[in-house]
Amino acid sequence: MATLSSLLRRGLLGRPVTSHAADEPRMNRWRALPVTSSNALSSLAYAPDEIILTLVAAGTSALALGPAVGWAVVAVMLLIVASFRAAVAAVPHGGIYHMAGTKFGPRAGVVASAALLLDFVFTAAVSVAAFAHFVAALAPGLTVGSRVLVASAALAGVLLAALRGVRLSRWVLPVLVSVFVTLTALLVLVGLWQEGRGLLGAAPTAGWTQEGAGVGGTVGTVATALLALRAFSAGSVLLTGVEVPVSSTRLMARPAVPTVRWVLTVMALTLGALTVGVMHLAQRTGVVVGLELENLRDAAGAEVTPDRAPAPVLAQLADTVYGPGSVLSVATIAATALLLLFAAKSAFRSFPALAARVAEDGYLPRQLRVRSDRLVHTWSVLGMGAVALSLVLFFEARTALLVQLYVIGVLLAFTLAQAGMLRLWRRRLVHTPGARARAAVRLRLIITAVAWVVTALAGVVVLVTRFTQGAWVALLAIVLGSLVMGRIRRHYADVDRELAPDPQDDARALPSRVHVVVVVTTLDRPALRALAYARASRPSSLEAVVVDAERAATLEVIDAWERAGLPMSLTVIASPYRDTVAPLVRHVREHRRRSPRDLTMVFIPEYVVRPGWRTLLHNRTATRQTRRLQREPGVMVGSVPWQVHEGQGS
């Protein structure tokens, strides 16, 4: 009979799914492109905002650096993708974790996996926060508190979908990504056409300034370089998600390697072109975004109130190019918001998959490998959802604050992966015969080396420029996570070593003597059954014990024992502090001290009620005694259950 809790669980999560449903059809390149690119493309919704947010702090004149910073970020992304194209041919099914670990040592793989797991958590948090920002662009009256509620509700919905193992129709995500790319490309093309005809208007925030910024001042060469580096570190969030196609090789149609390389190329070129176009239009239209509204001033010098908070860059460009409230403007903003939700859903799929892979190697709890009856890694999903929700609430769903913790983990993982592949290509170059084959390996080595240097430098730039703004928190989390993962691996190694059969062990050998203890609380049917089972085991010695926690109850047991005339002794254990666990353990230890070669077996009778509210009516003493005795060496514990049917017969 189904219980209320099971009915609620089924209603919330759905019916069980058979194991063969886990087999997914492989994706061809045209379906794999939008599915694996959604995460990277979604970063276009907030990467331009981060660049402009950094530049506007130095004054509106610094916004002219925006397109150049965008080009720099795109150039780094193209280098990383080029190195991944080379790497996937050598490690087709590895992903970042195996690139860093298999070819550069397990410690590098652990650090890379810790960074990627943190990256997935921030992807979910940043995506739902940006989603709330775009919803506010469609509903301008939304307050900051309401945005937090929208982001939290969106995260809860994504979490529930992940727990249910919801799989969208094969055409939903490809259509959404295609619509987003089409609308964004159309936005860029129409904006460029309007610029060429002199019809491009000013953004709603054009002329806005930030109080305290160096507006109109001359910026020195050093200051300009530092400002550009800070903007570059903020815009590096665009790099997140470009590794997804490499980690999804198993899902690609065969031959998988050419498919992955094609997807990487098209994704990088598309994302790069859209980013450069958006940054160019943002600079031409004078788009301004700010983190602290109290420091923003509009073109007339008035303070910007919360109801006039600047919309995201894409939303402002859509209103500028198409007109506020137009069909194309609303469609562009809505498509971007939906894509952000799918990016969060993608993170909830990537995190459990990577966690399960790392758990298989013993660096995370082995429970994370297990799938529920919905074919979902439930514990991974719940853990990730709890951390992501905490981040959303703590940072009040403010994308700019969350991004500060976001980028360093991505660049660290990419740097370690490229370092591992650099070592691999160097080894292959030595052992590759033939001039043409060696030339191909040498080219891959050069590409990987350049990408590694550039990525490492980008990581240093992000760490230095964003260290005090939150990068140190992410770095500390990665280091602590790596240490914990290493400790988990050592624990499993120690356990396996201890449990391995010893050649001197003889499975046929029996203990010389067996001493049995039966715990009696009340001389009822469960206790009598336990006594009968204990006698049936034919031990060397047998005793029944009662813990004297309540004198009146103990006297009742002694009186019932004498009337029953049972053929064994009854030992009363003193318990001056009314504890039923510690005195029993001390009694068992005392016997073990007197007879250390004996095996001690403790039978504990307990009655089992139907699940639900009835379990709250019992103190679970037998459970506490069992758990405590299980930690005693040389002691075995046997539970003798009695199922209670509440008047329905036994």
Side-chain angles (χ1 to χ4, degrees):
M1 182 178 180
T3 63
L4 179 60
S5 60
S6 64
L7 291 175
L8 290 175
R9 183 175 183 274
R10 290 290 168 238
L12 189 65
L13 302 181
R15 296 182 177 275
V17 178
T18 58
S19 298
H20 73 269
D23 300 329
E24 298 183 17
R26 290 178 173 265
M27 300 180 292
N28 59 36
R29 59 176 54 183
W30 291 108
R31 182 166 182 266
L33 175 62
V35 170
T36 59
S37 301
S38 59
N39 199 341
L41 289 170
S42 68
S43 62
L44 187 61
Y46 43 84
D49 299 61
E50 301 309 311
I51 296 175
I52 295 175
L53 183 66
T54 304
L55 294 175
V56 77
T60 52
S61 60
L63 293 176
L65 296 173
V69 174
W71 275 105
V73 175
V74 169
V76 174
M77 180 196 65
L78 293 176
L79 271 175
I80 292 174
V81 169
S83 68
F84 285 167
R85 277 176 49 87
V88 74
V91 190
H93 301 296
I96 303 298
Y97 170 54
H98 282 113
M99 285 181 192
T102 305
K103 306 302 177 185
F104 207 64
R107 291 185 180 179
V110 169
V111 176
S113 63
L116 278 180
L117 290 173
L118 185 66
D119 174 37
F120 292 138
V121 174
F122 279 115
T123 296
V126 170
S127 296
V128 296
F131 167 79
H133 204 183
F134 275 88
V135 170
L138 293 174
L142 217 58
T143 62
V144 175
S146 300
R147 292 181 192 176
V148 175
L149 291 177
V150 170
S152 301
L155 183 62
V158 172
L159 174 63
L160 180 59
L163 289 174
R164 290 180 63 92
V166 173
R167 294 182 181 178
L168 301 171
S169 300
R170 299 183 62 182
W171 55 268
V172 173
L173 186 55
V175 167
L176 175 61
V177 172
S178 301
V179 169
F180 170 79
V181 171
T182 302
L183 289 175
T184 308
L186 182 63
L187 173 67
V188 172
L189 292 175
V190 173
L192 293 175
W193 177 81
Q194 290 179 350
E195 181 188 4
R197 299 291 297 273
L199 302 176
L200 184 62
T205 56
W208 287 23
T209 59
Q210 182 167 308
E211 194 176 50
V215 182
T218 302
V219 183
T221 304
V222 176
T224 302
L226 291 176
L227 179 64
L229 288 176
R230 287 179 59 86
F232 171 83
S233 67
S236 295
V237 71
L238 187 76
L239 306 176
T240 58
V242 298
E243 82 286 351
V244 174
V246 180
S247 304
S248 306
T249 308
R250 300 176 189 272
L251 305 178
M252 305 290 187
R254 294 185 177 92
V257 171
T259 302
V260 173
R261 299 180 74 177
W262 182 86
V263 169
L264 283 169
T265 302
V266 177
M267 175 193 71
L269 293 177
T270 302
L271 180 57
L274 294 179
T275 301
V276 170
V278 168
M279 290 305 303
H280 175 80
L281 290 181
Q283 190 268 332
R284 291 298 184 182
T285 57
V287 172
V288 172
V289 291
L291 181 59
E292 302 294 340
L293 294 182
E294 60 270 18
N295 295 331
L296 283 180
R297 297 293 181 268
D298 61 15
E303 183 177 346
V304 177
T305 56
D307 60 323
R308 298 172 58 210
V313 172
L314 274 180
Q316 291 194 45
L317 289 179
D319 285 343
T320 303
V321 173
Y322 298 133
S326 63
V327 175
L328 285 177
S329 175
V330 172
T332 302
I333 299 173
T336 306
L338 288 177
L339 183 64
L340 287 165
L341 281 186
F342 279 94
K345 176 65 169 60
S346 175
F348 271 98
R349 184 172 183 176
S350 299
F351 181 96
L354 177 58
R357 197 176 310 147
V358 176
E360 289 177 359
D361 294 338
Y363 289 101
L364 285 177
R366 290 173 177 169
Q367 298 93 313
L368 300 183
R369 301 179 304 174
V370 181
R371 295 192 179 194
S372 67
D373 55 10
R374 292 289 302 177
L375 292 178
V376 173
H377 297 95
T378 304
W379 289 113
S380 293
V381 172
L382 289 175
M384 177 184 171
V387 177
L389 180 60
S390 301
L391 291 171
V392 169
L393 296 177
F394 182 79
F395 291 101
E396 297 181 337
R398 301 168 90 175
T399 309
L401 294 178
L402 287 166
V403 167
Q404 309 298 336
L405 311 175
Y406 188 26
V407 184
I408 186 65
V410 180
L411 293 174
L412 177 60
F414 289 177
T415 301
L416 290 173
Q418 289 165 352
M421 296 311 301
L422 186 61
R423 186 178 183 183
L424 172 66
W425 293 127
R426 289 177 61 187
R427 290 178 177 177
R428 288 201 174 183
L429 184 61
V430 175
H431 298 91
T432 300
R436 179 174 297 181
R438 287 175 59 84
V441 174
R442 187 178 292 108
L443 177 61
R444 293 172 179 175
L445 174 63
I446 294 173
I447 293 174
T448 304
V450 173
W452 174 67
V453 171
V454 172
T455 308
L457 289 176
V460 172
V461 169
V462 171
L463 182 61
V464 172
T465 58
R466 298 288 171 177
F467 187 82
T468 59
Q469 299 178 350
W472 69 271
V473 177
L475 191 62
L476 179 62
I478 293 171
V479 172
L480 292 178
S482 303
L483 293 176
V484 170
M485 292 164 69
R487 184 64 187 88
I488 291 173
R489 181 67 183 89
R490 289 194 297 273
H491 166 75
Y492 281 133
D494 292 341
V495 171
D496 292 341
R497 187 163 46 250
E498 183 175 342
L499 299 183
D502 192 308
Q504 299 180 353
D505 292 340
D506 187 358
R508 297 169 297 178
L510 299 177
S512 57
R513 288 173 51 84
V514 177
H515 177 71
V516 170
V517 177
V518 181
V519 181
V520 177
T521 303
T522 304
L523 199 61
D524 51 11
R525 297 174 74 182
L528 292 174
R529 173 180 287 183
L531 290 168
Y533 286 172
R535 294 177 62 194
S537 66
R538 301 185 182 277
S540 303
S541 57
L542 173 64
E543 67 170 334
V545 299
V546 56
V547 180
D548 188 15
E550 297 182 11
R551 190 59 184 172
T554 302
L555 293 176
E556 291 181 3
V557 173
I558 295 174
D559 182 61
W561 191 272
E562 293 176 349
R563 292 197 309 269
L566 296 172
M568 64 196 73
S569 62
L570 177 66
T571 303
V572 179
I573 304 174
S575 178
Y577 300 104
R578 299 161 301 283
D579 183 12
T580 60
V581 178
L584 175 62
V585 173
R586 285 196 297 268
H587 178 76
V588 172
R589 284 180 178 175
E590 179 63 22
H591 177 81
R592 289 279 302 159
R593 187 185 63 80
R594 294 193 306 267
S595 305
R597 298 177 62 86
D598 287 3
L599 172 66
T600 301
M601 179 71 189
V602 182
F603 284 95
I604 302 179
E606 59 179 321
Y607 46 90
V608 182
V609 298
R610 285 184 288 173
W613 60 270
R614 299 169 183 83
T615 58
L616 302 177
L617 306 180
H618 304 278
N619 58 16
R620 314 296 293 174
T621 301
T623 302
R624 297 199 303 273
Q625 291 173 338
T626 299
R627 290 177 178 175
R628 184 61 185 83
L629 287 169
Q630 284 175 341
R631 296 198 292 267
E632 294 297 313
V635 177
M636 299 180 62
V637 185
S639 175
V640 184
W642 181 281
Q643 290 76 25
V644 177
H645 298 279
E646 295 186 276
Q648 300 179 15
S650 58

